[in-house]
Amino acid sequence: MKVLNKDELRHSIEEYLKILYRKEVSEASRMQIYQALSYSIKDVIIDQWMSTHRAFEEKDVKTVYYLSMEFLLGRALGNNIISLKLDKVVNTVLEEIGIKLEDIEEEEPDPALGNGGLGRLAACFLDSLSTLGYAAVGCGIRYKYGMFKQVIENGFQIEVPDDWLKNGYPFEMKQDDLSVIVKFGGYVRITKDELGREKYIQENYSSVRAVPYDLPIVGYGNHIVNTLRIWDAEATNHFNLDSFDKGDYQKAVEDQNLARSICEVLYPNDSHYAGKELRLKQQYFFVSASIQRAVLKYMEKHEDIHKLPEKVVFQMNDTHPSVTVAELMRILLDDYNLSWEEAWEITTHSCAYTNHTIMSEALEKWPIDLFSKLLPRIYQLIEEINRRFLMNIKVQYNGDPNKIEKMAIIYNGHIRMANLAIVGSFSVNGVAELHTDILKKQQLRDFYEMTPDKFNNKTNGITQRRFLLHGNPLLSSFVTSRIGDKWITNLQHMKNLEEFAKDPKSQREFMEIKYQNKVRLAEYIKLHNGPEIDPNSIFDVQVKRLHEYKRQLLNIMHVMYLYEELKKNPNMDIVPRTFIFGAKASAGYHRAKAIIKLINSVGDVINNDKSINNKIKVVFIENYRVSNAEMIFAAADVSEQISTASKEASGTGNMKFMLNGALTLGTLDGANVEIAEEVGVENTFIFGLTADEVIHYELHGGYNPREIYDHDMGVQSIMKHMIEGYYDPINHDAFQDIYNSLLDSYQLDRADQYFILKDFRSYVEAQRKVQEAYKDKSWWAKTAILNVANCGKFSSDRTIEEYVKDIWKLEKVTL
Ligand SMILES: *Cc1c(COP(=O)(O)O)cnc(C)c1O
């Protein structure tokens, strides 16, 4: 069934309502119409999916396997409709039925199979790969519970499980016949085969069956549909009473439990490694399944395993999938009987690694005993990879113990996954120019000196299809009415908007659109436990994961400062401002959760203080995720990108704000540097220490925040109010730890590790400039339009073209 016109779509929706729910259109709930519409859309996709697959097979094109623990997809229905260019037809039919597409879209759960930026990047990359016509398979895990739903109670974050599959997910397809077995534990027995070669056989292991579920990734208007393959685990031996008699009852129960636990839940940590055994099981589970399938598929059409790198490339999104290197070696050695040299040659020409952070708490390292018990054969292989690599160091550096300390894969009782990924890959990339420079000069300096050609930069990007075309229809029409619609698939065309930046009519229209988007967000906030806010105020927005390095604390301390100034001087010259926050904190990250509580407590006091005449408001938007993010970016005037310089590898939120015409208030960190370069630093508000300065302080043991506290009465006052119950007479104990983190050194932490007090005055000054600039509406509108006009570089289409040219070497397919 292929939906083409409005009558066929209407008929299809009616049929699905009948088949699925025994309902007529007039009796159906929104949820049921969402399901019926989604199945109807899926029918159109299926045909394109199959023809794409056929074309890739016929042309025998090279495929990138993008391995990622996270894919933060956001809702599919609206985007699929846009990509298929069915929006007009769908809207007409829904109008007949008497319902709005936006309301139907609201019924779809966000498949939140990711934490934040890293997972969202993977989703943007898949969108671009399809739209650009490259063969790609996303490989991940079908978590039963994705990122938790955040509820704010009494100002505190409460985590609620996200049961995204409870009504079924219309766009997924289970592929039972493509399942594979993944083995854990046991031991390795060594025997000889008939040719006298050593064979390694894993015995007495536990196993699970990995079952793939495929989700379509629809290219924009080009009939290309790639696959996101997420794996679920099922028990291998279906439990029967037989096994009880055979004495392996215990084993059967264990396998059952293993299968149940592996895909149960996404760990809610962002840029933080917790060392949990289940997490390692998840990693090996999806990597082994994905690599086994990829090799099997290659061998269906090709004879010579040695030529695998001509047709297949594995891109590892951070170190989470870095067992790929050893798993591919295992398959080549144990299943295909290759020599070590042959297998290593193939592996190191198929694997590539993306580094996402320089922060030490994110570096994955597994204790040898845990790792070798869970993955005995993989551990043997890593030992051998390490042994041979250390021999190279011996030759090249005379066994320099410094080099061994920095670069060994196994060191101090641990396996260092980043080192495994680097040694096993032909490409290592950072995600913004500044980040890649820091990798080369600091964190990965020794590797860089040993193999400089491996290292390269790929500045992150975002898809304009979701974050402008879908998320901001008014601004999309504004742009298209002026420069045509080529920007949808080539964001560099935005440059043509520059000539309208100074045009008064365009400026007025732009500001009116921003106003409408602010009204839309204000309504959303009101509907979701938030206060009433004024769309005429400046919308100053910081939305991203809650992390100390991202410095939401700096932002809220500036709000406290403004409030206290305003209390002292009620006639102060101030442009009304709404400070908007949205952030989830990892469930075990207590200080981050205290910062959420502080933001909410400050908000409660300020929002209810009649004496300040609504001049400032503070909003914490509950449950920040892709679906409400789209609306938030569209409504933002100011984009807060205030991480401690050197800590944010790239950031992608910063790009989504720019695309929607918000002005960046930020440090020279990550991709902010490139944003300022593209739009001109005079069209941003840059403040604070530079990365070099931060690194310099760090190398010299930090700085002394007490000096600032003692001399800056503004800082001293807000710090005192924080712990004395000014913002929360009951729960202010929660803030003592925040206070201490700024002023007291602990054994492990330096005081004010993230330079909040150090950057405070510079931030206050930048905020003052924002306010002054906003008074000049024409300047603001011009600058906002210039931001949109110069965002071309930050499309994930550009990023993907660079990966293709420098790393993956894929061929473009047109249908
Ligand atoms: C883009 C995005 C992020 C990443 O934001 P940063 O500001 O780069 O940390 C996180 N979460 C969601 C829902 C996003 O859309």
Side-chain angles (χ1 to χ4, degrees), residues 72 115-117 120 462 467 543-545 549-550 624-626 629 633 641 648 650-654 656:
L72 191 51
N115 273 286
R120 185 55 233 175
I462 54 157
F467 291 108
V543 287
K544 47 182 77 246
R545 282 304 290 264
Y549 84 81
K550 291 177 184 277
Y624 175 58
R625 63 194 186 283
V626 176
F633 297 126
Q641 306 301 335
E648 187 77 89
S650 164
T652 49
N654 46 6
K656 300 167 198 165

mmCIF file of all heavy atoms in Angstrom, residues 72 115-117 120 462 467 543-545 549-550 624-626 629 633 641 648 650-654 656, ligand 1:
data_model
loop_
_atom_site.group_PDB
_atom_site.id
_atom_site.type_symbol
_atom_site.label_atom_id
_atom_site.label_comp_id
_atom_site.label_asym_id
_atom_site.label_seq_id
_atom_site.Cartn_x
_atom_site.Cartn_y
_atom_site.Cartn_z
ATOM 1 N N LEU A 72 19.622 9.861 20.229
ATOM 2 C CA LEU A 72 18.571 10.698 20.825
ATOM 3 C C LEU A 72 17.703 11.236 19.686
ATOM 4 O O LEU A 72 17.933 12.341 19.191
ATOM 5 C CB LEU A 72 19.215 11.811 21.642
ATOM 6 C CG LEU A 72 18.338 12.659 22.557
ATOM 7 C CD1 LEU A 72 17.472 11.810 23.459
ATOM 8 C CD2 LEU A 72 19.219 13.577 23.396
ATOM 9 N N ASN A 115 21.407 10.511 26.252
ATOM 10 C CA ASN A 115 21.503 11.460 27.358
ATOM 11 C C ASN A 115 21.423 12.908 26.908
ATOM 12 O O ASN A 115 20.718 13.708 27.511
ATOM 13 C CB ASN A 115 22.834 11.255 28.082
ATOM 14 C CG ASN A 115 22.750 10.199 29.162
ATOM 15 O OD1 ASN A 115 22.182 10.449 30.215
ATOM 16 N ND2 ASN A 115 23.279 9.026 28.893
ATOM 17 N N GLY A 116 22.218 13.241 25.893
ATOM 18 C CA GLY A 116 22.330 14.642 25.504
ATOM 19 C C GLY A 116 23.029 14.759 24.169
ATOM 20 O O GLY A 116 22.701 14.029 23.219
ATOM 21 N N GLY A 117 24.030 15.640 24.115
ATOM 22 C CA GLY A 117 24.680 15.991 22.853
ATOM 23 C C GLY A 117 25.212 14.813 22.049
ATOM 24 O O GLY A 117 25.022 14.760 20.832
ATOM 25 N N ARG A 120 22.330 12.957 20.471
ATOM 26 C CA ARG A 120 21.663 13.794 19.473
ATOM 27 C C ARG A 120 22.535 13.919 18.215
ATOM 28 O O ARG A 120 22.044 13.953 17.096
ATOM 29 C CB ARG A 120 21.324 15.157 20.068
ATOM 30 C CG ARG A 120 20.525 16.070 19.144
ATOM 31 C CD ARG A 120 19.236 15.433 18.620
ATOM 32 N NE ARG A 120 19.192 15.528 17.169
ATOM 33 C CZ ARG A 120 18.242 14.989 16.402
ATOM 34 N NH1 ARG A 120 17.228 14.306 16.922
ATOM 35 N NH2 ARG A 120 18.286 15.114 15.095
ATOM 36 N N ILE A 462 24.457 20.052 13.110
ATOM 37 C CA ILE A 462 23.068 19.710 13.467
ATOM 38 C C ILE A 462 22.235 19.694 12.193
ATOM 39 O O ILE A 462 22.607 20.320 11.201
ATOM 40 C CB ILE A 462 22.478 20.762 14.422
ATOM 41 C CG1 ILE A 462 22.634 22.160 13.815
ATOM 42 C CG2 ILE A 462 23.177 20.691 15.764
ATOM 43 C CD1 ILE A 462 21.665 23.164 14.349
ATOM 44 N N PHE A 467 15.670 21.112 13.234
ATOM 45 C CA PHE A 467 15.766 22.252 14.148
ATOM 46 C C PHE A 467 15.393 23.601 13.540
ATOM 47 O O PHE A 467 15.414 24.607 14.227
ATOM 48 C CB PHE A 467 17.148 22.282 14.811
ATOM 49 C CG PHE A 467 17.324 21.120 15.767
ATOM 50 C CD1 PHE A 467 18.160 20.046 15.459
ATOM 51 C CD2 PHE A 467 16.607 21.068 16.949
ATOM 52 C CE1 PHE A 467 18.292 18.970 16.324
ATOM 53 C CE2 PHE A 467 16.724 19.995 17.825
ATOM 54 C CZ PHE A 467 17.573 18.939 17.512
ATOM 55 N N VAL A 543 19.672 25.663 28.010
ATOM 56 C CA VAL A 543 19.130 24.301 28.044
ATOM 57 C C VAL A 543 20.210 23.329 27.605
ATOM 58 O O VAL A 543 20.809 23.474 26.551
ATOM 59 C CB VAL A 543 17.869 24.142 27.152
ATOM 60 C CG1 VAL A 543 16.661 24.814 27.771
ATOM 61 C CG2 VAL A 543 18.107 24.662 25.743
ATOM 62 N N LYS A 544 20.481 22.336 28.420
ATOM 63 C CA LYS A 544 21.520 21.332 28.170
ATOM 64 C C LYS A 544 21.577 20.454 29.415
ATOM 65 O O LYS A 544 20.943 20.771 30.429
ATOM 66 C CB LYS A 544 22.879 21.992 27.912
ATOM 67 C CG LYS A 544 23.223 23.091 28.931
ATOM 68 C CD LYS A 544 24.546 23.767 28.635
ATOM 69 C CE LYS A 544 24.488 24.774 27.509
ATOM 70 N NZ LYS A 544 25.259 24.379 26.344
ATOM 71 N N ARG A 545 22.324 19.346 29.380
ATOM 72 C CA ARG A 545 22.461 18.554 30.586
ATOM 73 C C ARG A 545 23.015 19.396 31.737
ATOM 74 O O ARG A 545 23.790 20.331 31.510
ATOM 75 C CB ARG A 545 23.396 17.362 30.331
ATOM 76 C CG ARG A 545 22.731 16.241 29.590
ATOM 77 C CD ARG A 545 21.487 15.747 30.298
ATOM 78 N NE ARG A 545 21.821 15.048 31.529
ATOM 79 C CZ ARG A 545 21.935 13.735 31.647
ATOM 80 N NH1 ARG A 545 21.722 12.949 30.614
ATOM 81 N NH2 ARG A 545 22.248 13.181 32.800
ATOM 82 N N TYR A 549 30.619 21.713 34.716
ATOM 83 C CA TYR A 549 31.450 22.410 33.729
ATOM 84 C C TYR A 549 30.619 23.296 32.801
ATOM 85 O O TYR A 549 31.119 24.258 32.229
ATOM 86 C CB TYR A 549 32.324 21.425 32.934
ATOM 87 C CG TYR A 549 31.650 20.760 31.750
ATOM 88 C CD1 TYR A 549 31.528 21.436 30.526
ATOM 89 C CD2 TYR A 549 31.138 19.471 31.822
ATOM 90 C CE1 TYR A 549 30.918 20.832 29.445
ATOM 91 C CE2 TYR A 549 30.541 18.862 30.750
ATOM 92 C CZ TYR A 549 30.424 19.553 29.558
ATOM 93 O OH TYR A 549 29.810 18.957 28.489
ATOM 94 N N LYS A 550 29.330 22.990 32.665
ATOM 95 C CA LYS A 550 28.466 23.815 31.819
ATOM 96 C C LYS A 550 28.021 25.100 32.537
ATOM 97 O O LYS A 550 27.484 26.008 31.942
ATOM 98 C CB LYS A 550 27.255 23.005 31.355
ATOM 99 C CG LYS A 550 27.620 21.881 30.362
ATOM 100 C CD LYS A 550 26.387 21.074 29.985
ATOM 101 C CE LYS A 550 26.692 19.884 29.077
ATOM 102 N NZ LYS A 550 26.793 20.278 27.656
ATOM 103 N N TYR A 624 13.386 18.521 29.954
ATOM 104 C CA TYR A 624 14.001 18.968 28.705
ATOM 105 C C TYR A 624 14.340 17.769 27.829
ATOM 106 O O TYR A 624 14.970 16.811 28.273
ATOM 107 C CB TYR A 624 15.274 19.772 29.022
ATOM 108 C CG TYR A 624 16.038 20.179 27.780
ATOM 109 C CD1 TYR A 624 15.423 20.948 26.795
ATOM 110 C CD2 TYR A 624 17.362 19.789 27.585
ATOM 111 C CE1 TYR A 624 16.109 21.320 25.654
ATOM 112 C CE2 TYR A 624 18.063 20.169 26.462
ATOM 113 C CZ TYR A 624 17.425 20.929 25.496
ATOM 114 O OH TYR A 624 18.116 21.286 24.361
ATOM 115 N N ARG A 625 13.899 17.808 26.594
ATOM 116 C CA ARG A 625 14.128 16.706 25.647
ATOM 117 C C ARG A 625 13.969 17.230 24.232
ATOM 118 O O ARG A 625 13.607 18.400 24.061
ATOM 119 C CB ARG A 625 13.135 15.575 25.922
ATOM 120 C CG ARG A 625 11.674 15.973 25.715
ATOM 121 C CD ARG A 625 10.728 14.929 26.328
ATOM 122 N NE ARG A 625 9.323 15.185 26.049
ATOM 123 C CZ ARG A 625 8.582 16.097 26.650
ATOM 124 N NH1 ARG A 625 9.114 16.909 27.556
ATOM 125 N NH2 ARG A 625 7.305 16.221 26.351
ATOM 126 N N VAL A 626 14.192 16.384 23.211
ATOM 127 C CA VAL A 626 14.220 16.893 21.840
ATOM 128 C C VAL A 626 12.904 17.595 21.460
ATOM 129 O O VAL A 626 12.923 18.665 20.853
ATOM 130 C CB VAL A 626 14.552 15.779 20.822
ATOM 131 C CG1 VAL A 626 14.491 16.313 19.393
ATOM 132 C CG2 VAL A 626 15.950 15.213 21.104
ATOM 133 N N ALA A 629 12.704 20.907 23.057
ATOM 134 C CA ALA A 629 13.883 21.676 22.626
ATOM 135 C C ALA A 629 13.591 22.431 21.330
ATOM 136 O O ALA A 629 13.919 23.609 21.186
ATOM 137 C CB ALA A 629 15.083 20.752 22.427
ATOM 138 N N PHE A 633 14.369 26.491 21.208
ATOM 139 C CA PHE A 633 15.344 27.187 20.346
ATOM 140 C C PHE A 633 14.650 28.274 19.538
ATOM 141 O O PHE A 633 15.165 29.382 19.373
ATOM 142 C CB PHE A 633 16.041 26.209 19.396
ATOM 143 C CG PHE A 633 16.854 25.162 20.103
ATOM 144 C CD1 PHE A 633 16.658 23.804 19.846
ATOM 145 C CD2 PHE A 633 17.827 25.508 21.026
ATOM 146 C CE1 PHE A 633 17.400 22.829 20.506
ATOM 147 C CE2 PHE A 633 18.568 24.543 21.688
ATOM 148 C CZ PHE A 633 18.357 23.203 21.430
ATOM 149 N N GLN A 641 26.006 29.874 26.436
ATOM 150 C CA GLN A 641 27.008 28.832 26.139
ATOM 151 C C GLN A 641 28.241 29.144 26.980
ATOM 152 O O GLN A 641 29.260 29.570 26.475
ATOM 153 C CB GLN A 641 27.319 28.816 24.641
ATOM 154 C CG GLN A 641 26.080 28.671 23.768
ATOM 155 C CD GLN A 641 25.276 27.403 24.033
ATOM 156 O OE1 GLN A 641 25.818 26.397 24.526
ATOM 157 N NE2 GLN A 641 23.994 27.437 23.727
ATOM 158 N N GLU A 648 34.026 22.087 27.134
ATOM 159 C CA GLU A 648 32.955 21.650 26.227
ATOM 160 C C GLU A 648 33.613 21.330 24.886
ATOM 161 O O GLU A 648 34.053 22.216 24.178
ATOM 162 C CB GLU A 648 31.930 22.770 26.061
ATOM 163 C CG GLU A 648 30.685 22.371 25.280
ATOM 164 C CD GLU A 648 29.709 21.542 26.117
ATOM 165 O OE1 GLU A 648 28.847 22.130 26.786
ATOM 166 O OE2 GLU A 648 29.841 20.295 26.081
ATOM 167 N N SER A 650 32.566 20.421 21.925
ATOM 168 C CA SER A 650 32.018 21.196 20.814
ATOM 169 C C SER A 650 30.759 21.939 21.267
ATOM 170 O O SER A 650 30.678 23.160 21.222
ATOM 171 C CB SER A 650 31.653 20.277 19.641
ATOM 172 O OG SER A 650 30.810 20.946 18.725
ATOM 173 N N GLY A 651 29.781 21.156 21.747
ATOM 174 C CA GLY A 651 28.460 21.712 21.931
ATOM 175 C C GLY A 651 27.747 21.643 20.595
ATOM 176 O O GLY A 651 28.373 21.778 19.531
ATOM 177 N N THR A 652 26.449 21.376 20.641
ATOM 178 C CA THR A 652 25.631 21.455 19.430
ATOM 179 C C THR A 652 24.393 22.303 19.695
ATOM 180 O O THR A 652 23.810 22.853 18.763
ATOM 181 C CB THR A 652 25.186 20.059 18.940
ATOM 182 O OG1 THR A 652 24.637 19.337 20.051
ATOM 183 C CG2 THR A 652 26.357 19.296 18.344
ATOM 184 N N GLY A 653 24.032 22.437 20.975
ATOM 185 C CA GLY A 653 22.941 23.330 21.337
ATOM 186 C C GLY A 653 23.245 24.732 20.818
ATOM 187 O O GLY A 653 22.367 25.401 20.239
ATOM 188 N N ASN A 654 24.484 25.162 20.988
ATOM 189 C CA ASN A 654 24.907 26.485 20.513
ATOM 190 C C ASN A 654 24.541 26.697 19.035
ATOM 191 O O ASN A 654 24.114 27.766 18.629
ATOM 192 C CB ASN A 654 26.408 26.694 20.776
ATOM 193 C CG ASN A 654 27.266 25.488 20.364
ATOM 194 O OD1 ASN A 654 26.761 24.516 19.775
ATOM 195 N ND2 ASN A 654 28.547 25.539 20.670
ATOM 196 N N LYS A 656 22.101 25.106 17.301
ATOM 197 C CA LYS A 656 20.643 25.125 17.106
ATOM 198 C C LYS A 656 20.085 26.515 17.434
ATOM 199 O O LYS A 656 19.187 27.011 16.754
ATOM 200 C CB LYS A 656 19.968 24.069 17.988
ATOM 201 C CG LYS A 656 20.432 22.643 17.711
ATOM 202 C CD LYS A 656 19.971 21.695 18.822
ATOM 203 C CE LYS A 656 20.746 20.396 18.831
ATOM 204 N NZ LYS A 656 20.562 19.637 20.092
HETATM 205 C C1 LIG B 1 21.275 19.526 21.204
HETATM 206 C C2 LIG B 1 20.788 18.857 22.423
HETATM 207 C C3 LIG B 1 21.667 18.624 23.486
HETATM 208 C C4 LIG B 1 23.107 19.093 23.473
HETATM 209 O O1 LIG B 1 23.155 20.411 23.966
HETATM 210 P P1 LIG B 1 24.552 21.098 24.396
HETATM 211 O O2 LIG B 1 24.154 22.498 24.701
HETATM 212 O O3 LIG B 1 25.444 21.011 23.200
HETATM 213 O O4 LIG B 1 25.053 20.355 25.561
HETATM 214 C C5 LIG B 1 21.176 18.002 24.615
HETATM 215 N N1 LIG B 1 19.894 17.619 24.698
HETATM 216 C C6 LIG B 1 19.013 17.838 23.702
HETATM 217 C C7 LIG B 1 17.593 17.397 23.868
HETATM 218 C C8 LIG B 1 19.425 18.459 22.522
HETATM 219 O O5 LIG B 1 18.551 18.654 21.529
#
